[in-house]
Amino acid sequence: MLKVININSALIFFVLSAVFSFCQSPESGNAEMSSDSLQLSQADSIDQATGLVVDEALPLVIGNCTGCHSAKLITQNRASREGWKSMIVWMQETQKLWDLGENEDQILDYLAEHYAAEQTGRRKNLQNIQWYDLETQ
């Protein structure tokens, strides 16, 4: 079965592939990180250590994701729940990501809520432009 992957997905997969070459097993990573170890910024609810949005699923995300790659790979990407799921499947098939088990739904909910795809349109029209005549020879 042929799958069509857009350029953004291919770029994300390429970056994740490079990072996952340094992947660790959950036993050697920080999978046991508790919420007590999070450094919280109360003002904006962003974990200062990772830059990820703080909520009850953050320890799961840290324990299962940042053991292998930087949290910046999460913060710089946006995807729907299905998009995040496809990235997890890709990591499991190609980068030795372990089965997330019952934590997968919570992780996907977290990613879809805080790092959902953004609708971007065209930029606003330029306003108050001071045009000038281009001098030609």
Side-chain angles (χ1 to χ4, degrees), residues 56-97:
E56 61 189 30
L58 180 57
L60 288 175
V61 172
I62 291 173
N64 288 284
C65 301
T66 62
C68 296
H69 60 75
S70 168
K72 287 190 181 282
L73 281 177
I74 298 170
T75 61
Q76 71 187 12
N77 291 298
R78 300 281 175 171
S80 65
R81 193 175 200 281
E82 294 75 27
W84 287 112
K85 171 72 176 173
S86 70
M87 285 185 247
I88 287 172
V89 169
W90 176 82
M91 288 184 269
Q92 289 170 330
E93 291 175 352
T94 63
Q95 305 301 313
K96 300 181 181 177
L97 174 62

Side-chain angles (χ1 to χ4, degrees), residues 43-135:
D44 52 11
S45 298
I46 300 294
D47 177 51
Q48 293 179 351
T50 62
L52 295 171
V53 174
V54 175
D55 82 3
E56 61 189 30
L58 180 57
L60 288 175
V61 172
I62 291 173
N64 288 284
C65 301
T66 62
C68 296
H69 60 75
S70 168
K72 287 190 181 282
L73 281 177
I74 298 170
T75 61
Q76 71 187 12
N77 291 298
R78 300 281 175 171
S80 65
R81 193 175 200 281
E82 294 75 27
W84 287 112
K85 171 72 176 173
S86 70
M87 285 185 247
I88 287 172
V89 169
W90 176 82
M91 288 184 269
Q92 289 170 330
E93 291 175 352
T94 63
Q95 305 301 313
K96 300 181 181 177
L97 174 62
W98 51 87
D99 181 12
L100 299 176
E102 62 189 31
N103 295 330
E104 184 172 298
D105 281 338
Q106 287 180 282
I107 292 169
L108 286 171
D109 289 345
Y110 173 88
L111 295 171
E113 179 181 345
H114 299 295
Y115 301 100
E118 294 178 336
Q119 291 290 339
T120 58
R122 296 180 53 148
R123 66 169 170 75
K124 290 183 177 179
N125 291 333
L126 299 175
Q127 298 177 358
N128 301 324
I129 301 299
Q130 296 180 353
W131 297 102
Y132 61 92
D133 291 325
L134 182 63
E135 294 181 24

